[in-house]
Amino acid sequence: MTSAADSRPGRPSRPPRRSWPRSVVGRLPGSLPFAAAARGAVALALPLLVGLATGWVVLSAIAAIGALWGVSQDGSDPYRVRVRRLGWTGVSSALGLLAGEVALRSGEPAAVAGCLVTAALVAGGVGLRGRIASVSGMHLLLGVTIGSGIPVPGPWWQPPLALLAGVALVLVLSAAPWLWRRYHVERAAVLAVYRSAGEALTAAGTEAAEEARLRMTLALNHAHEVMAPHLAPRGRRRDETGELVRAFHYAVRLGEAVTAVVWEGRALPPALTRVPRLLAGRLLPGRLAAPEDGAAQPAPVGGSPGRRALAGLVASVDAEPDGTDLELRLPAHDGPGRAARVRYALLLAGCVLAAHVLAEVLHRPRGYWLPMTVAFVYKPDFGPLFPRALHRCVGTIVGVAAIGAVSAAATGTYAVVGVVAVFGALMAIGVRHHYALATLGLTAVVFVLLDLLGDHRPLYGTRVVDTALASALVLVAHFAVWPDSAAHRAEAQTEAAVAAARRYRDAALEAGPVQRQSLRRAAYHQLAEARRTVAHARREPARRGRPLPDWEGAITAAEQLCDQVTAHVVAGAADPVR
């Protein structure tokens, strides 16, 4: 076999370009996260209710700001990841608020500007080093912006503690389910692999097979990321973690067999398409597995290598586990280099300083909105910069209009608390589905909280203009100084993914099971990351006369190569793949 695009009888031909699922480019609303919405409503309303009952309205508003920032980081990750991210969010934002408050109380305008620039340099320096570091840097800068822009009476130590308490409230609400469903997220992620594998087997031999196999690979990538902390060898484990690790290892083997079957390009009998459901019913019993899974019968052995591999999984699942864990390591995160981090830090600091000076000219005092918007918008590691700025502006416009209409109708303090709860829930939904929706909820809540903090000015139109100015400032600075950042990252990720696919090709036939699966998992992870970065680069404004390369074609060819190698490994082929 000499070509990755080589076809077999009965197998539908592959298109030269494969469309990427829309869920990777931009998440579309599916089932609404009602639990997260409830957490957002409670986390924002509870501090205000406590403040109204005790008379500490200002401190309760600051605590609600902390809760607001916590809601923005309340994801659906495993609980240990949530605790780390929310913990660093609280600590960094509290430190930033303290630094900004000290600078403001000094009475020196230069101290405020210096504090903002220093925080921006720190935030930019750590902003491209991973998700938690990026979130921490952003909230450090946000804390400095609020602390240096809003004077708060009372002892200097009270506002940071109140802000930290607000984030801690979100942390408690988000992590509390750990007490009664400790590994729910991991279990759901592994089960999703079995479900998507069943869909891929059902689609085998049809034009939808490749797309279904790709969805299975994405589910397997996600499960690998979620299960990574549990995969280190720890001897024989009999607890729920050990069961999940065993189920994940079977999911990896199932993914290999499904890939081989899809490559063969022939429809399967129902006995084989039920294999993933059978495995899930035996390895993941309980509410998440379909009740009929346990009643399924093993598929007969025979047929092509892929079919025999599927039947072999069914035959081996009831055997006594050997106690050996396959330590499948995720590929190391290869982020931007030092030059890119320095450039981003300097650009962020310059944008923050320019926004601060502009705010001093236009709005002195309380000119915090412009630098705060810069801190939110200038996050190239969070996705394409141009759509982020656009969604920020749209969300702000709609949020200002919504809170203006609601404020005219809502009379009474407790009605205002209800408004905050509603928009907090809306923001929690937006965090998971669309940045403009999250901005809408955040903008409305911030208007109410700033009013409680003593800023009673009618600034609805002004805030829209400020958001547009800050977004334009970021876009002009970024695309004037660093226009090719997204393209360079896409090119680097594509090259790394192609190299990973070739490493898998060169070593798969001679490697043992552990090394082979590690190489295969690393290749598909790199390919998925390359797809994401390329999709981001496509959504940024392109420079005239310099069209972007056909990265998708190279990634598709590498994916087909991995599929072909996997099919050969399952078949036990001896001829090399070139």
Side-chain angles (χ1 to χ4, degrees):
M1 198 172 278
T2 60
S3 171
D6 187 28
S7 300
R8 296 186 177 185
R11 183 171 183 273
S13 61
R14 299 188 177 203
R17 292 280 295 273
R18 180 162 48 195
S19 62
W20 187 239
R22 294 177 65 187
S23 59
V24 176
V25 178
R27 248 207 232 156
L28 298 177
S31 58
L32 292 178
F34 291 108
R39 290 196 298 268
V42 171
L44 286 167
L46 187 57
L48 298 182
L49 291 174
V50 172
L52 292 175
T54 60
W56 297 345
V57 177
V58 172
L59 290 179
S60 71
I62 294 178
I65 291 176
L68 183 71
W69 291 346
V71 169
S72 72
Q73 300 303 322
D74 178 25
S76 56
D77 315 272
Y79 294 111
R80 66 172 67 191
V81 178
R82 299 186 204 181
V83 170
R84 287 181 60 202
R85 188 171 60 246
L86 287 169
W88 279 107
T89 296
V91 171
S92 59
S93 59
L95 289 175
L97 181 66
L98 176 61
E101 186 184 12
V102 170
L104 181 63
R105 294 191 180 201
S106 70
E108 295 291 337
V112 172
C115 188
L116 283 169
V117 171
T118 301
L121 288 172
V122 173
V126 303
L128 302 181
R129 292 179 176 271
R131 177 73 181 188
I132 291 181
S134 179
V135 166
S136 301
M138 180 179 72
H139 284 89
L140 174 73
L141 180 55
L142 289 173
V144 170
T145 302
I146 296 298
S148 62
I150 302 177
V152 179
W156 59 269
W157 50 269
Q158 287 184 348
L161 286 181
L163 189 76
L164 187 60
V167 180
L169 174 61
V170 178
L171 191 154
V172 170
L173 293 174
S174 181
W178 176 86
L179 297 174
W180 60 86
R181 54 175 194 176
R182 186 166 300 181
Y183 301 111
H184 171 77
V185 176
E186 291 90 339
R187 186 181 176 88
V190 175
L191 183 62
V193 179
Y194 288 94
R195 288 175 174 165
S196 59
E199 295 172 358
L201 291 178
T202 302
T206 70
E207 293 183 355
E210 283 303 304
E211 194 73 14
R213 199 279 306 160
L214 185 54
R215 287 195 298 270
M216 181 201 68
T217 300
L218 291 176
L220 191 51
N221 287 344
H222 176 65
H224 196 175
E225 293 170 355
V226 169
M227 290 295 298
H230 307 289
L231 296 180
R234 302 175 187 173
R236 182 168 297 190
R237 293 170 288 192
R238 295 293 186 183
D239 58 358
E240 186 176 0
T241 305
E243 295 175 357
L244 284 172
V245 169
R246 184 167 183 251
F248 172 75
H249 288 152
Y250 268 93
V252 173
R253 294 169 59 186
L254 176 64
E256 189 174 57
V258 170
T259 301
V261 168
V262 171
W263 180 263
E264 291 166 0
R266 297 180 177 89
L268 299 179
L272 285 175
T273 60
R274 288 197 299 265
V275 164
R277 296 175 63 82
L278 169 62
L279 294 176
R282 293 182 178 179
L283 294 168
L284 296 169
R287 289 187 308 160
L288 291 178
E292 66 270 20
D293 288 346
Q297 297 299 318
V301 179
S304 67
R307 298 187 182 198
R308 292 196 299 270
L310 285 174
L313 287 175
V314 177
S316 65
V317 72
D318 290 327
E320 181 69 17
D322 60 7
T324 302
D325 287 335
L326 302 180
E327 188 177 5
L328 302 178
R329 294 183 179 274
L330 288 169
H333 177 72
D334 188 16
R338 179 180 299 178
R341 295 196 299 269
V342 170
R343 183 180 295 188
Y344 172 57
L346 293 176
L347 278 171
L348 179 61
C351 289
V352 167
L353 180 59
H356 173 68
V357 172
L358 189 60
E360 287 291 301
V361 173
L362 297 177
H363 306 304
R364 180 182 176 92
R366 293 177 178 262
Y368 44 80
W369 196 274
L370 276 157
M372 183 178 68
T373 302
V374 169
F376 275 120
V377 170
Y378 200 8
K379 296 297 297 174
D381 55 315
F382 282 11
L385 191 60
F386 183 79
R388 184 176 179 85
L390 179 62
H391 294 159
R392 187 80 193 179
C393 293
V394 172
T396 300
I397 293 172
V398 179
V400 165
I403 193 60
V406 172
S407 297
T411 58
T413 306
Y414 290 98
V416 172
V417 175
V419 169
V420 168
V422 170
F423 281 106
L426 189 63
M427 176 186 170
I429 295 173
V431 165
R432 288 157 179 77
H433 288 297
H434 203 284
Y435 184 61
L437 185 61
T439 301
L440 188 161
L442 182 144
T443 300
V445 172
V446 167
F447 263 89
V448 175
L449 298 181
L450 293 179
D451 185 71
L452 294 175
L453 288 172
D455 194 353
H456 307 300
R457 297 172 293 170
L459 296 174
Y460 295 112
T462 303
R463 294 318 184 200
V464 171
V465 174
D466 285 351
T467 301
L469 286 175
S471 299
L473 177 64
V474 167
L475 292 177
V476 169
H478 178 81
F479 289 108
V481 179
W482 204 9
D484 298 325
S485 59
H488 288 162
R489 179 162 176 76
E491 183 176 6
Q493 288 291 340
T494 301
E495 291 175 355
V498 172
R502 289 172 178 169
R503 283 195 298 271
Y504 174 50
R505 175 199 65 187
D506 295 338
L509 294 178
E510 291 79 18
V514 177
Q515 184 185 9
R516 186 184 74 243
Q517 294 291 4
S518 296
L519 289 169
R520 179 173 176 270
R521 292 274 70 248
Y524 280 115
H525 265 286
Q526 295 275 43
L527 289 165
E529 181 63 24
R531 287 279 187 187
R532 281 190 287 267
T533 55
V534 168
H536 291 170
R538 295 289 182 198
R539 295 173 67 193
E540 297 284 23
R543 299 179 67 179
R544 290 187 177 181
R546 296 184 61 179
L548 297 178
D550 181 21
W551 294 306
E552 292 89 347
I555 295 171
T556 297
E559 288 171 345
Q560 293 176 351
L561 176 62
C562 289
D563 293 351
Q564 183 188 20
V565 171
T566 299
H568 269 250
V569 168
V570 171
D575 58 316
V577 181
R578 297 299 177 192

